Amino acid sequence: MAKGKLNEYSSKRSFKATPEPAAQIPEGRSGPLLFVIQQHSATRMHYDFRLECDGVLKSWAVPKGPSLDPADKRLAVPTEDHPFDYASFEGVIPPGQYGAGEVIVWDCGVYSPDENAAWVEDREAAEEQVLQGLKKGKLSITLRGEKVKGSFALVRTSRGKDWLLIKHKDRF
Ligand code: MN
């Protein structure tokens, strides 16, 4: 898979100055897709929500973080694709660097698109489902994290760029 996917990620960073992982696409990933939510104490504290798909982490900045209340729609602003290795990154991005501040892993686990019953066996089908959802601007996924569990919708707003992260009503 092409490294070009991470060009924006690389262009925003100086890897001599930041401890963040370099732009690399992992090989031989198998099994369920991973998600991570990082708490990022940048100029403004926010949460970064990332879904493994197509060799990278599709990413959104969620100012208030996810809510388990279906009535509570959370703004999710898309950001550049991040390398898969970013999922385990914790550290301090030094002053003057893009995103300066501390990053910790707030939650992580596996996820699957809700439409795809065969996701455990068929990783590629699950990724295809996610890519289609991202294109359509409507994605329904189930997260299996420590803190965040259950089904969520990610919906692009009619205004265009922003998305909303909304919990579906379920037993969680
Ligand atoms: Mn961030």
Side-chain angles (χ1 to χ4, degrees):
M1 276 182 270
K3 261 190 173 178
K5 287 177 187 174
L6 294 168
N7 281 352
E8 189 179 348
Y9 174 85
S10 294
S11 70
K12 287 181 167 172
R13 292 169 173 82
S14 164
F15 295 104
K16 281 182 181 147
T18 179
E20 293 166 288
Q24 272 183 349
I25 309 281
E27 272 170 47
R29 289 272 306 147
S30 61
L33 298 169
L34 182 144
F35 83 93
V36 64
I37 301 169
Q38 281 155 319
Q39 192 182 46
H40 186 180
S41 308
T43 317
R44 271 189 147 168
M45 211 279 283
H46 63 271
Y47 296 82
D48 289 299
F49 181 66
R50 312 190 197 278
L51 300 175
E52 179 189 10
C53 184
D54 202 22
V56 297
L57 299 175
K58 300 289 174 187
S59 299
W60 293 260
V62 183
K64 292 183 177 174
S67 171
L68 297 181
D69 177 358
D72 209 355
K73 301 175 181 178
R74 292 290 163 88
L75 175 68
V77 181
T79 56
E80 74 277 15
D81 291 349
H82 278 50
F84 176 76
D85 286 350
Y86 211 94
S88 57
F89 172 70
E90 291 193 324
V92 178
I93 302 168
Q97 298 302 306
Y98 179 71
E102 189 180 16
V103 175
I104 62 161
V105 173
W106 184 78
D107 198 15
C108 69
V110 298
Y111 84 97
S112 57
D114 289 338
E115 296 84 354
N116 189 328
W119 66 277
V120 178
E121 302 86 52
D122 197 343
R123 182 183 171 89
E124 271 178 36
E127 287 182 296
E128 187 51 41
Q129 204 88 53
V130 173
L131 286 175
Q132 279 176 22
L134 292 176
K135 217 186 248 180
K136 264 193 313 201
K138 193 172 189 298
L139 183 62
S140 185
I141 50 174
T142 293
L143 306 177
R144 294 167 178 82
E146 293 283 320
K147 293 177 179 140
V148 182
K149 299 178 207 291
S151 174
F152 283 79
L154 256 172
V155 185
R156 195 186 308 138
T157 64
S158 50
R159 286 174 54 219
K161 194 179 181 291
D162 295 339
W163 292 61
L164 295 171
L165 179 63
I166 311 162
K167 180 80 183 61
H168 284 132
K169 282 204 177 84
D170 60 18
R171 67 194 174 93
F172 299 109

